[in-house]
Amino acid sequence: MQIAKVRGNVVSTQKEPSLRGAKLLLLQLVDEEGNPLPKYEVAADNVGAGVDEWVLVSCGSAARIVQGNEQRPLDAVVVAIIDSVRVEDRLIYSKKDQYR
């Protein structure tokens, strides 16, 4: 899994039929210091994440193991909304502090 920040929504009116109803998000990956990386990923959202939230994204074949995605052509799925991230006793991210 990787940590990413939700940057926006991806809308597609014409798509593989198995993707109908799937909410797609544009994610920007984040490094261990909380800095945005120059790498983006489009992922299906299974948890209701919104713009600017930090999320855990599962990529590759693991994305298709998530219940309901077994037959979908997915390479990335948002599996959790992050509340906080600590690295070596330093708070890198806190959702509750984000909106102060």
Side-chain angles (χ1 to χ4, degrees):
M1 287 187 283
Q2 296 177 299
I3 295 175
K5 184 174 183 177
V6 178
R7 290 301 193 181
N9 297 296
V10 177
V11 178
S12 174
T13 55
Q14 299 295 318
K15 58 185 138 220
E16 156 64 33
S18 67
L19 290 176
R20 287 190 190 127
K23 178 182 171 187
L24 301 175
L25 298 176
L26 178 64
L27 308 177
Q28 184 172 18
L29 300 181
V30 176
D31 71 12
E32 69 278 357
E33 295 296 321
N35 300 312
L37 295 170
K39 183 172 180 189
Y40 291 82
E41 187 83 52
V42 174
D45 178 22
N46 279 14
V47 296
V51 173
D52 289 334
E53 288 189 298
W54 282 31
V55 296
L56 281 179
V57 59
S58 182
C59 297
S61 60
R64 288 181 295 281
I65 295 173
V66 176
Q67 187 173 6
N69 291 337
E70 300 90 349
Q71 300 302 315
R72 290 180 165 175
L74 295 174
D75 191 48
V77 175
V78 174
V79 295
I81 299 171
I82 295 173
D83 294 317
S84 64
V85 176
R86 287 190 171 277
V87 176
E88 298 177 359
D89 293 329
R90 288 182 299 123
L91 183 64
I92 302 299
Y93 169 79
S94 171
K95 184 175 179 176
K96 70 177 184 178
D97 293 339
Q98 178 181 3
Y99 297 106
R100 285 188 182 183

